[in-house]
Amino acid sequence: MPRVHACLLMTLFALIETGWANETDGDSEPIRIGIIGLDTSHVTAFTRSFNADPAEPEIQGCRVVAAYPKGSEDIESSYSRIPKYTQAVQAMGVEIVGSIDALLEKVDCVLLETNDGKPHLEQSLQVLHAGKRVFIDKPVAQDLANAVAIYQAAKYFQVPVFSSSSLRYAAGVDEIRSGEIGEVLGCDTYSPCSFEPSHVDLFWYGIHGVEPLFACMGTGCESVRCQPSEHAEIAIGTWTGNRIGVFRGIRNGKSGYGGTAFGAGETRQVGPYQGYQPLVREIASFFRSGVAPVNAEETLQIYAFMQAASESKRRHGASVTIAEVMADATRKASELLAGKLH
């Protein structure tokens, strides 16, 4: 090889190794994040993390720049908090805008933070139409049909969607899921379980315990039975291989988050809760890559589990299959989307 060519190749390799060939001086355009809905404490926690100076290495280059405050119109515990959280995010340098359309002109990705799941379908459709990656905070929607509709729309528009409770990233869950205790033969989890009448029972707050249950057990839930009492909602799921997963939604007495996973080789605790930061890191990674850390199948099965538990409760504890509630929700989702995918 001629000496000049060899020198050029060595120089190019050196530039690639230092990152100069891909980024000038290590800088790149920041990912501009917009928030829809300022009616939950999540917006201040997430914004504080993304806009920290300096931010954690895993989330550097992602910044919340704009927010549209309106969320719930009829849940007092949500809409009454909008003024406080609007003021708080403004103090962190976030521009407040008057519409979702105005927000979408200013951002690359969206945090859909409206605490009320009822507006999520209409809000997410605007984001998906615009082709923006979106993290949808819990609950995805108020019922399974609306959740299925959101994911069908995301598939239609080919826009990545990610949703998760922060409890998926409780201590020990990743290790359990990755096989450190062997095959997970069963798991019990618990969390607070307050209700909101406009939502399927477990969607409003029980999601925080059901999410880590599925994070440990994986997909494959086939049927659910619910045994409610004045003190707790007990949802018992049967997975493939006759594995049993149990969620206890605490309604009275000492509350908290946690659980136990029963593996072929070891029993291990689920938890404790590690705060929002692990989830924020996953959101940043998702915004960069466009690859959701939790796929649509698993997210929808989580919500199908909770929908089936509600239906089982209505049927006085009878077993309800995931296939049944998914078929019903899929039919209703098609009706909800009629004329809206264009």
Side-chain angles (χ1 to χ4, degrees), residues 27 29 35 44 83 89 92 96 98 154 185 192 197 202 211 225 232 248 255 257 262 282 293 303 324:
D27 294 329
E29 288 296 317
I35 297 176
T44 54
V89 298
M92 289 184 262
I96 304 302
L185 305 177
L202 302 185
E211 184 94 42
R225 292 182 293 112
R248 173 181 289 269
S255 193
Y257 305 92
F262 306 95
E282 293 295 329
Y303 284 86
E324 175 189 346

Side-chain angles (χ1 to χ4, degrees), residues 43-298:
V43 298
T44 54
F46 291 179
T47 303
R48 191 175 298 112
S49 292
F50 280 121
N51 292 12
D53 186 18
E56 280 191 0
E58 294 92 336
I59 61 176
Q60 284 180 0
C62 298
R63 186 172 183 85
V64 178
V65 299
Y68 170 65
K70 291 186 179 180
S72 179
E73 295 184 352
D74 57 7
I75 299 177
E76 193 277 337
S77 64
S78 290
Y79 67 70
S80 64
R81 294 183 288 186
I82 291 175
K84 180 176 83 169
Y85 292 134
T86 300
Q87 185 178 28
V89 298
Q90 274 186 304
M92 289 184 262
V94 177
E95 179 184 359
I96 304 302
V97 299
S99 69
I100 292 177
D101 284 341
L103 179 86
L104 294 173
E105 291 177 357
K106 297 174 179 290
V107 305
D108 306 304
C109 301
V110 172
L111 296 167
L112 204 172
E113 292 296 323
T114 303
N115 202 34
D116 180 355
K118 297 194 300 300
H120 280 188
L121 176 57
E122 293 304 320
Q123 292 173 330
S124 64
L125 281 172
Q126 289 182 258
V127 180
L128 297 171
H129 268 289
K132 311 287 185 178
R133 296 170 186 173
V134 56
F135 170 78
I136 304 177
D137 214 332
K138 64 84 190 167
V140 169
Q142 76 274 29
D143 60 28
L144 182 60
N146 275 264
V148 170
I150 288 170
Y151 276 89
Q152 285 184 346
K155 183 177 181 180
Y156 176 86
F157 289 111
Q158 297 185 331
V159 178
V161 171
F162 169 39
S163 183
S164 177
S165 161
S166 56
L167 270 295
R168 171 174 284 270
Y169 302 103
V173 172
D174 281 348
E175 293 78 11
I176 292 165
R177 189 179 179 92
S178 66
E180 284 194 10
I181 67 171
E183 181 186 6
V184 178
L185 305 177
C187 185
D188 300 344
T189 60
Y190 60 86
S191 77
C193 192
S194 57
F195 290 169
E196 161 50 47
S198 62
H199 289 56
V200 171
D201 289 349
L202 302 185
F203 280 37
W204 187 249
Y205 219 85
I207 178 63
H208 286 315
V210 178
E211 184 94 42
L213 176 64
F214 272 79
C216 293
M217 294 285 291
T219 55
C221 185
E222 297 177 329
S223 62
V224 183
R225 292 182 293 112
C226 185
Q227 298 179 352
S229 75
E230 62 179 304
H231 304 303
E233 298 285 309
I234 311 296
I236 305 166
T238 300
W239 267 253
T240 52
N242 290 318
R243 299 178 302 130
I244 302 297
V246 180
F247 166 65
R248 173 181 289 269
I250 302 169
R251 297 183 55 76
N252 288 309
K254 176 65 175 176
S255 193
Y257 305 92
T260 305
F262 306 95
E266 183 184 338
T267 297
R268 189 171 292 187
Q269 294 303 300
V270 178
Y273 175 48
Q274 299 187 109
Y276 295 124
Q277 204 64 10
L279 174 59
V280 172
R281 295 183 195 117
E282 293 295 329
I283 295 170
S285 176
F286 164 66
F287 283 163
R288 290 192 192 98
S289 68
V291 178
V294 187
N295 64 33
E297 178 190 6
E298 183 165 343

